[in-house]
Amino acid sequence: MYKKILIGLIIGILCLSPIAAENWNSFAGGVDHNAYRDDGSDFVTNLWTFNMESPIHSSPAIYKDYIYFVTENGILKAIDMETGEEEWDLDLEANTNSSPIVHDNKLYIGCEDGLKAININSHKVTWDYDAGNVESTPFFYDDVIYFGSDDGHLYGLDKDGKVKLNKKLGDELKSSPIVVGDNIYIGSSNGNLYSVGTDKEKNWDFTTGDEILSSPSYVNKSVIFGSSDGNVYCLDKADGDLKWKVDLNNKVISSPTVDEHDNSVYIGSDEGNLTCIDVRDGTVKWSHSVGDKVRTTAALKDNLVAFGSNNGYLYVLNKYTGEEEFTYNPGTVLFNSAITSSPVINGNSLFFGDDSGHVYSLNIDKYEVPGSTQMYYSIAVLIIVLIIAVVVIRKVKGRK
């Protein structure tokens, strides 16, 4: 009898595990910002491009077989990850730079008029909460959605939109929070990183030299984040004491991505580098220069780290050496668009958006990329230039 009960419990756990794993509960999927989900789908990786028709600054969320992107003018689209075809869309009727999260068929996203909850089955807004401009990406923890607002308040709402936490911290909270062990960590434009308990009590704050737009990550009882003062900071999560800091010479808007198994943190800077730092003592392992701002948050898969730059290139590096494995420039140089939307990875598929409003699906394992619509524009421009050159040459020769 006990054996049957034990087998039943094991089967039940196995059945529930994939469902739980499908939730995308925070910016970049978790407190480590790895932005990676094991491929639980039946399809193979396909290469495609999708036009959202408006710049994409926020980062996508993955849920089941769909990826959710939002444009800066508030158009939400659910895209089939296999085919690259639109499943449904919704006009949020408000600009947004916040990234969506998804939990149990509900999508939550910040907009210029507050936080909205969308039922992804009915494709309708089920409730919205007026909190002013919300650029902070929410964090779902213990049935509460936590997020910051430009009004300086840290909010926590239950799944029905009722207030569980409303804590005034100061200035604008554009940084996305993380929640670890009933403690919330979030940065502010006043240069402070705050630790607040889910019981509404403030634990501590740490002051940097400039605003904090970077969202903190967590590893080994440490909170790591960047500041516009050019430094990456590592604090003790319990008391906020500084463990180490690293000067990256320019603003750090990018959020850190942590590889706990390799004791590494990867973070970009306006200096134009992606830098790998040892999480234990702040030693710089390597730094890869791309020549323009790196404001995206890196995604990790196996021995690869992927990120985008304002120069319009997506880079995939060896995470141990910092050497380039491959690059992709969908704008084909002539039509470069900044990549400020952070990439996400599902199985072998890597997805990202850019300021041209396009979404791209790549095969990160085989280094395969889709054909770019901008390539045809580039060819057309080159043909026009050649025609003009021929006409000019003929006119010059005719005068002789």
Side-chain angles (χ1 to χ4, degrees), residues 36-263:
Y36 173 73
R37 190 186 79 165
D38 286 325
D39 187 0
S41 307
D42 295 328
F43 59 82
V44 296
T45 298
N46 286 324
L47 312 176
W48 50 258
T49 301
F50 182 91
N51 189 3
M52 296 279 289
E53 300 179 348
S54 184
I56 304 166
H57 301 310
S58 68
S59 302
I62 294 171
Y63 187 68
K64 297 183 178 178
D65 290 341
Y66 299 96
I67 188 164
Y68 296 86
F69 274 92
V70 184
T71 62
E72 67 172 359
N73 62 354
I75 303 299
L76 167 68
K77 291 183 183 286
I79 304 171
D80 187 305
M81 287 192 291
E82 178 181 13
T83 65
E85 296 178 353
E86 179 182 320
E87 179 70 13
W88 58 270
D89 69 349
L90 177 67
D91 187 351
L92 299 176
E93 300 180 349
N95 292 342
T96 180
N97 285 308
S98 173
S99 301
I101 65 169
V102 188
H103 187 95
D104 290 350
N105 293 313
K106 285 282 186 69
L107 183 148
Y108 305 94
I109 187 166
C111 300
E112 64 181 355
D113 57 359
L115 188 84
K116 298 180 188 292
I118 295 103
N119 186 308
I120 65 174
N121 292 322
S122 66
H123 316 157
K124 294 181 179 179
V125 175
T126 56
W127 55 259
D128 57 73
Y129 181 82
D130 184 3
N133 186 38
V134 177
E135 295 188 29
S136 171
T137 297
F139 192 104
F140 191 100
Y141 176 82
D142 198 18
D143 290 333
V144 178
I145 304 103
Y146 296 97
F147 61 97
S149 169
D150 282 5
D151 66 9
H153 287 251
L154 173 64
Y155 293 95
L157 309 179
D158 69 15
K159 291 187 287 186
D160 296 318
K162 295 179 181 178
V163 178
K164 293 295 184 181
L165 173 68
N166 184 347
K167 183 78 171 179
K168 174 67 174 178
L169 295 179
D171 290 2
E172 299 175 340
L173 302 178
K174 297 181 183 294
S175 169
S176 302
I178 58 171
V179 187
V180 181
D182 292 332
N183 291 311
I184 309 157
Y185 303 92
I186 189 170
S188 169
S189 62
N190 65 11
N192 287 339
L193 193 287
Y194 294 98
S195 171
V196 179
T198 54
D199 60 1
K200 307 177 185 179
E201 294 300 318
K202 188 173 82 170
N203 300 318
W204 50 260
D205 59 75
F206 180 90
T207 303
T208 71
D210 207 338
E211 63 180 355
I212 300 172
L213 302 177
S214 171
S215 302
S217 62
Y218 174 83
V219 64
N220 297 339
K221 299 182 180 179
S222 300
V223 179
I224 303 173
F225 62 97
S227 168
S228 291
D229 68 8
N231 289 294
V232 181
Y233 294 87
C234 178
L235 309 181
D236 186 289
K237 81 175 186 70
D239 51 23
D241 285 349
L242 179 67
K243 290 187 173 182
W244 53 259
K245 72 175 181 177
V246 176
D247 185 359
L248 296 185
N249 302 316
N250 209 325
K251 291 182 179 180
V252 182
I253 309 298
S254 168
S255 300
T257 301
V258 173
D259 184 350
E260 182 177 5
H261 303 294
D262 192 45
N263 292 309

